[in-house]
Amino acid sequence: VQADGTDGNCVTFVLHDEDHTLGNSLRYMVMKNPDVEFCGYCITHPSESKINFRIQTRGTLPAVEPFRKGLNDLMGVCQHVLDTFEVRVFLKSS
Amino acid sequence: DEMRDRVVLGEFGVRNVHTTDFPGNYPGYEDAWDQRRFEEAFRVDIIREEEGALEFDMVGIDAAIANAFRRILLAEVPTMAVEKVFVYNNTSIVQDEILAHRLGLIPIRADPRLFEYRNQGDEEGTEIDTLQFQLKIKCSRNPQAAKESSDPNELYFNHKVYSKHMTWVPLGNQTDLFPDADFRPVHDDILIALLRPGQEIDVLMHCVKGIGKDHAKFSPVATASYRLLPDITLLQPIEDEAAEMLQKCFSPGVIEIQNIKGKKVARVANARLDTFSREVFRHEGLKNLVRLARVRNHYIFSVESTGILPPDVLVSEAIKILMGKCQRFLNELDSVPME
């Protein structure tokens, strides 16, 4: 991970070894955050697996915050999906 | 409202494809992320579970996350497959590299969670990351065959090399680590090569753990796909001949015709079965009476496994891998100080 930006509000993170799989889902979670003014990601070149993930926040919130919150929210979603799915499989098999 | 939760299929294109429910877009709607609201709205239904295939519904998540699961199922759930083939003797007609390629594609029934990834640059392979298989077979002539028979099954022994001829050779302390495990290819009847008398194949194979991104042989699913739940609305009541024509336009079972007061009226019976061939749009009379759409957050997943792991285990593994990726970045964020 590398960060680059003029001030704390607009930061471009470079995530190595990632592609649309994490990029799109993380973008969706960060966009759901009302403090975020702009969020987007792009793949710099299809031969290299790294993505530029940019977050711009409204106000003076440091951009790392929505990034961290987005990751935590995505973890929460996955955990809930996993629990629900496993309960269903268990119910179906018994 | 329609824009928020339906993807509409028009005659020449699809409208409302992208998710627009981000905070601030719609006044009066609470769009910010709320874990509790998500948990209330989310559900999973398992529709059908067969030998190697699983069909289940996920309602209440977004395309980005559903697609992430699909991509991980295809490319990032690890499996074991033959990577290195040491050819001691190959006098068959199949070239060495073609034989090695075919051996690599054979699915191996070995739980990849019991093994580690091989370290980069490690040529030998230790017992925690490698499975060794041997294929040693020689074709010979059958002395008891009839004089004039031309059936190869009678004339020769071992002329077809199947995957059941691959035997596991335990490395190091693997017999202690896996006392009752039986590592073999998933299917016994995969034809690897054909031989004639005097030809033999003697190879040693190393299986390692890998992911589909590296090579497609490591992909644990035959395929994993999803589609959105179809939603067909009849804008006006359709009767008689038009109803018959409408029923033919869709897949069987989607539209059913009821007899109400002597007239035949069409009704949408089971929109889920439809494959949306858009046949309706070819008929001028019916074009404007039907609205074809898809429900935006209802995903019908279909996962077919190659047999290495059962499909429900594969889905659970995929979700755990996505969590692992998030955790990796969270750890990096915490460890590297941001300036």
Side-chain angles (χ1 to χ4, degrees):
Chain A
V1 181
Q2 285 165 250
D4 182 41
T6 44
D7 52 295
N9 296 354
C10 331
V11 178
T12 303
F13 298 93
V14 178
L15 308 176
H16 292 274
D17 282 336
E18 285 303 330
D19 57 354
H20 300 286
T21 309
L22 191 66
N24 200 15
S25 33
L26 193 55
R27 179 198 62 92
Y28 173 75
M29 300 311 294
V30 175
M31 279 290 281
K32 283 285 200 181
N33 191 340
D35 295 324
V36 167
E37 189 191 342
F38 173 84
C39 168
Y41 80 101
C42 66
I43 308 233
T44 37
H45 191 277
S47 306
E48 310 176 323
S49 75
K50 65 179 187 188
I51 62 176
N52 281 355
F53 194 90
R54 185 167 176 84
I55 302 182
Q56 272 172 223
T57 55
R58 246 190 274 277
T60 52
L61 193 65
V64 195
E65 265 318 298
F67 186 55
R68 185 171 300 190
K69 184 168 184 301
L71 281 170
N72 280 323
D73 288 341
L74 193 55
M75 292 269 294
V77 170
C78 290
Q79 187 63 50
H80 181 70
V81 171
L82 186 63
D83 294 337
T84 323
F85 183 72
E86 290 194 335
V87 164
R88 280 292 168 177
V89 168
F90 179 69
L91 286 175
K92 181 95 182 188
S93 63
S94 57
Chain B
D1 203 22
E2 181 192 316
M3 189 153 80
R4 274 174 65 93
D5 61 12
R6 293 279 186 277
V7 176
V8 182
L9 275 72
E11 187 176 347
F12 298 113
V14 187
R15 290 180 280 128
N16 302 338
V17 174
H18 300 285
T19 352
T20 44
D21 55 346
F22 294 120
N25 275 350
Y26 297 101
Y29 278 95
E30 256 299 311
D31 275 333
W33 178 255
D34 188 3
Q35 176 80 6
R36 200 180 34 84
R37 242 177 331 134
F38 164 70
E39 285 181 15
E40 278 166 27
F42 179 71
R43 65 167 210 271
V44 172
D45 296 318
I46 300 197
I47 307 295
R48 202 175 42 200
E49 189 166 352
E50 280 160 23
E51 192 46 52
L54 176 68
E55 188 179 329
F56 68 99
D57 277 12
M58 268 208 227
V59 185
I61 56 168
D62 184 64
I65 307 178
N67 197 29
F69 289 144
R70 184 193 64 91
R71 287 176 67 104
I72 294 181
L73 273 170
L74 281 172
E76 301 199 34
V77 180
T79 54
M80 303 286 291
V82 174
E83 174 91 10
K84 281 202 155 61
V85 173
F86 299 97
V87 181
Y88 290 107
N89 190 0
N90 175 19
T91 42
S92 78
I93 219 162
V94 177
Q95 295 92 342
D96 290 345
E97 60 268 19
I98 307 290
L99 183 66
H101 183 242
R102 289 176 72 85
L103 289 169
L105 291 173
I106 297 174
I108 309 278
R109 188 194 298 280
D111 191 341
R113 295 170 289 183
L114 300 171
F115 296 92
E116 305 273 327
Y117 286 103
R118 191 181 271 201
N119 295 324
Q120 287 237 350
D122 186 8
E123 288 297 326
E124 282 296 318
T126 61
E127 53 245 359
I128 195 62
D129 60 32
T130 314
L131 270 181
Q132 218 178 38
F133 283 89
Q134 192 183 41
L135 177 64
K136 201 176 158 85
I137 191 162
K138 193 173 160 72
C139 179
S140 52
R141 206 178 286 276
N142 182 3
Q144 276 109 20
K147 226 31 169 41
E148 283 90 25
S149 97
S150 59
D151 178 19
N153 288 330
E154 267 196 37
L155 284 174
Y156 315 120
F157 285 138
N158 289 340
H159 72 284
K160 282 191 187 160
V161 182
Y162 285 108
S163 51
K164 66 173 186 265
H165 295 130
M166 282 168 65
T167 51
W168 175 46
V169 177
L171 266 182
N173 63 346
Q174 274 178 350
T175 27
D176 307 316
L177 281 176
F178 313 113
D180 32 74
D182 169 32
F183 295 122
R184 54 189 171 77
V186 175
H187 305 281
D188 281 334
D189 51 358
I190 300 178
L191 184 63
I192 303 177
L194 289 177
L195 300 175
R196 283 294 180 265
Q199 294 178 344
E200 75 174 286
I201 295 183
D202 182 6
V203 298
L204 195 67
M205 294 165 266
H206 279 193
C207 272
V208 291
K209 186 169 165 178
I211 57 175
K213 247 202 239 186
D214 180 24
H215 193 289
K217 70 189 176 200
F218 292 116
S219 182
V221 288
T223 190
S225 63
Y226 67 79
R227 61 189 178 106
L228 270 64
L229 180 77
D231 174 44
I232 304 173
T233 2
L234 300 176
L235 299 169
Q236 290 169 29
I238 301 185
E239 301 169 348
D240 290 333
E241 284 166 10
E244 297 272 320
M245 211 156 60
L246 192 71
Q247 193 179 40
K248 288 205 191 63
C249 286
F250 289 100
S251 312
V254 176
I255 300 265
E256 102 187 327
I257 302 204
Q258 289 171 330
N259 230 318
I260 300 185
K261 297 184 202 147
K263 280 209 288 194
K264 294 198 233 166
V265 178
R267 193 181 70 88
V268 178
N270 189 0
R272 201 194 160 92
L273 298 170
D274 195 28
T275 46
F276 271 178
S277 59
R278 296 189 191 194
E279 176 74 17
V280 214
F281 292 126
R282 292 179 61 204
H283 302 277
E284 278 302 322
L286 298 176
K287 210 157 49 164
N288 300 319
L289 304 177
V290 188
R291 188 192 74 164
L292 294 180
R294 290 194 185 267
V295 182
R296 191 191 286 288
N297 58 4
H298 186 137
Y299 291 89
I300 304 174
F301 274 83
S302 157
V303 178
E304 291 177 24
S305 157
T306 45
I308 303 178
L309 287 172
D312 40 322
V313 174
L314 281 176
V315 177
S316 309
E317 286 297 308
I319 305 178
K320 285 180 203 157
I321 288 180
L322 189 56
M323 285 204 288
K325 283 188 196 249
C326 295
Q327 190 63 46
R328 197 179 114 215
F329 285 114
L330 276 173
N331 292 341
E332 278 209 43
L333 257 189
D334 291 330
S335 63
V336 173
M338 290 279 141
E339 71 284 341

